[in-house]
Amino acid sequence: MTLLRTQLGNTLRGHRLRQRRTLRDVSGVARVSLGYLSEVERGQKEASSELLASLCAALDLPMSQVLRDVSDAAALEEAASAPTPLPTAQAAEVVASAA
Amino acid sequence: MTLLRTQLGNTLRGHRLRQRRTLRDVSGVARVSLGYLSEVERGQKEASSELLASLCAALDLPMSQVLRDVSDAAALEEAASAPTPLPTAQAAEVVASAA
């Protein structure tokens, strides 16, 4: 099952690492404990809406972008876990008529 | 300040209403109390990741789509609250040289 906190944690950690910043730096700017930020990044704690807003501000990212990234990651996970569709009767007919 | 729970609540309520479904129906399918769902929809309670997954399933929507809608709503709110940019010196020079 896709969980928001897992995807959100991965996304936040990805942005922090791309900015080459430490947990200490971002947690200090966002005024959250280093341990708590670490747990949020690992998907072990739910971030409150206020904390998420603070983390986005600390990373200098609009929340809409972070949520877009989380949506994209969730879509990939949904696609990977979706059942493979079987060929339909309609598709078989198209092949037969083309032969 | 854009808050995730506000945008998420609006988005979930919008989907439920477009499906012409009641709080009672969706809360029953998602196995959450009607009162709690109502508070989530009004942005008064944070939905846990597990509850969000249950609500998406009850609404028959991929979580990625709900998060995409939330991102779009957040982007609109960010644009509305962004300061209006002033004309830059460069733009003024272009006007002057064109005269």
Side-chain angles (χ1 to χ4, degrees):
Chain A
M1 184 169 63
T2 304
L3 286 179
L4 175 60
R5 66 174 173 272
T6 309
Q7 304 290 354
L8 189 58
N10 286 339
T11 298
L12 290 170
R13 187 179 51 200
H15 279 294
R16 177 175 63 76
L17 294 177
R18 277 192 292 280
Q19 294 181 13
R20 297 173 184 276
R21 293 171 68 185
T22 61
L23 279 169
R24 187 172 301 280
D25 171 17
V26 174
S27 64
V29 177
R31 297 185 176 218
V32 57
S33 80
L34 188 153
Y36 200 83
L37 174 56
S38 174
E39 289 190 291
V40 166
E41 285 193 355
R42 284 178 282 138
Q44 292 175 350
K45 278 277 194 307
E46 303 271 356
S48 71
S49 295
E50 284 79 4
L51 174 58
L52 176 60
S54 291
L55 290 174
C56 289
L59 290 166
D60 200 20
L61 292 167
M63 191 187 303
S64 60
Q65 182 183 333
V66 172
L67 293 174
R68 174 67 56 109
D69 294 344
V70 172
S71 167
D72 290 347
L76 281 177
E77 190 170 310
E78 287 161 4
S81 63
T84 308
L86 291 171
T88 63
Q90 197 179 6
E93 283 166 12
V94 171
V95 171
S97 68
Chain B
M1 182 169 65
T2 303
L3 287 179
L4 175 60
R5 65 173 174 274
T6 309
Q7 304 290 355
L8 189 58
N10 286 338
T11 298
L12 290 170
R13 186 179 52 201
H15 279 293
R16 178 176 63 76
L17 294 178
R18 276 193 293 280
Q19 294 181 14
R20 297 172 185 276
R21 294 171 67 184
T22 61
L23 279 169
R24 187 171 302 278
D25 171 19
V26 173
S27 64
V29 177
R31 298 186 176 216
V32 57
S33 81
L34 188 152
Y36 201 83
L37 175 56
S38 174
E39 288 189 292
V40 167
E41 284 194 356
R42 284 179 283 137
Q44 293 176 350
K45 280 278 194 304
E46 304 272 354
S48 71
S49 295
E50 283 79 4
L51 174 58
L52 177 59
S54 291
L55 290 174
C56 289
L59 291 166
D60 200 21
L61 292 166
M63 192 186 303
S64 60
Q65 183 183 334
V66 171
L67 293 173
R68 175 65 57 107
D69 294 344
V70 172
S71 167
D72 290 346
L76 281 177
E77 190 170 310
E78 287 160 4
S81 64
T84 308
L86 290 170
T88 63
Q90 197 180 7
E93 283 165 13
V94 171
V95 170
S97 67

